[in-house]
Amino acid sequence: MSDFPLDEELKNYIDIAKRGLHSIDSILAKLSSAANLEQALTNDELESLDLNYFLSLYCQHQHQLAGHHLAINYVGIKKAAVAQAVDYRLEQALDKLLDNAKDFQRKNTPIIVRLRADKFDWIIEVENQGEQINVERADQLFQSMVTSRTQASAGGTGHFGLGLFVVQTIAQFHKGTAFVSNLADGSGVCFSIRIPSKF
């Protein structure tokens, strides 16, 4: 229809329809990516990975990409933190958590990525200052198609509650889990991935 001469009102309707189709394409692409993740993970092999070294390099790279507008600080430990992992899958999960932290962070506050030990596990934390979560809904956030956002992001791409589902799926592949909590001082939120350590 857009190849023919149209009045302004019809052009507006066509533009609306085009934007709707673009949104549908985006939703389908994200759903397909999430649906295929579990199958793709069956082809991945866990290998020994020093999480401390990996996270240090990852955060340096992310800090450089963010530029001067955003600080991404890494708080590591003073020794190797070895786990059975797939580095690019952890990077995929961390990308989702960083995107989430950027969306909800209070302006001019840093995002902190932290590694700590907890008995027989390593815990990777991504912390941001900002609005706290509803703890009663915390577990639901990692389910597919669940989101705490009240509106679509700029540009009309929207969020479909798949990012944290991907994080949980990748954590479970590593024999671990993902969880979220409010910061003890009430200043923000911390998303965490727990992975068994390798001795």
Side-chain angles (χ1 to χ4, degrees):
M1 288 180 67
S2 56
D3 292 336
F4 296 93
L6 300 170
D7 61 34
E8 286 302 315
E9 185 176 2
L10 284 176
K11 286 181 181 179
N12 288 337
Y13 284 126
I14 289 175
D15 288 341
I16 291 170
K18 285 180 179 178
R19 288 195 297 273
L21 287 173
H22 178 73
S23 295
I24 291 170
D25 283 343
S26 177
I27 292 170
L28 290 175
K30 291 182 180 183
L31 286 172
S32 177
S33 176
N36 292 333
L37 177 60
E38 289 184 349
Q39 178 62 37
L41 287 170
T42 63
N43 298 319
D44 292 339
E45 293 186 13
L46 298 169
E47 299 178 345
S48 291
L49 179 69
D50 180 354
L51 296 177
N52 196 36
Y53 181 71
F54 163 76
L55 289 169
S56 177
L57 292 182
Y58 175 82
C59 290
Q60 285 178 28
H61 178 66
Q62 291 297 323
H63 184 74
Q64 291 170 357
L65 286 178
H68 300 294
H69 305 294
L70 174 64
I72 299 173
N73 301 330
Y74 175 57
V75 180
I77 58 178
K78 296 181 179 179
K79 62 178 183 179
V82 182
Q84 289 290 102
V86 178
D87 55 1
Y88 63 89
R89 291 302 182 188
L90 285 182
E91 186 171 335
Q92 184 181 5
L94 286 166
D95 286 348
K96 300 293 186 187
L97 292 182
L98 277 185
D99 286 345
N100 194 70
K102 290 173 187 176
D103 286 347
F104 287 100
Q105 72 166 153
R106 187 174 296 114
K107 191 175 180 180
N108 298 322
T109 60
I111 294 172
I112 298 173
V113 178
R114 182 182 289 104
L115 176 67
R116 63 182 179 88
D118 181 38
K119 295 182 179 179
F120 304 110
D121 300 325
W122 298 114
I123 299 181
I124 302 168
E125 300 176 334
V126 178
E127 172 185 311
N128 70 276
Q129 306 290 308
E131 184 179 351
Q132 292 192 306
I133 62 158
N134 180 348
V135 292
E136 294 179 357
R137 293 189 66 235
D139 290 341
Q140 297 176 21
L141 293 177
F142 294 96
Q143 298 174 11
S144 180
M145 303 299 286
V146 175
T147 179
S148 62
R149 289 172 170 84
T150 56
Q151 58 185 17
S153 63
T157 57
H159 292 270
F160 309 107
L162 295 172
L164 295 177
F165 171 73
V166 168
V167 172
Q168 183 68 280
T169 301
I170 291 173
Q172 290 171 348
F173 169 74
H174 287 85
K175 316 299 184 197
T177 188
F179 56 97
V180 60
S181 60
N182 290 320
L183 298 178
D185 63 2
S187 64
V189 173
C190 180
F191 282 87
S192 304
I193 299 173
R194 179 187 292 271
I195 298 176
S197 60
K198 179 183 177 183
F199 294 97

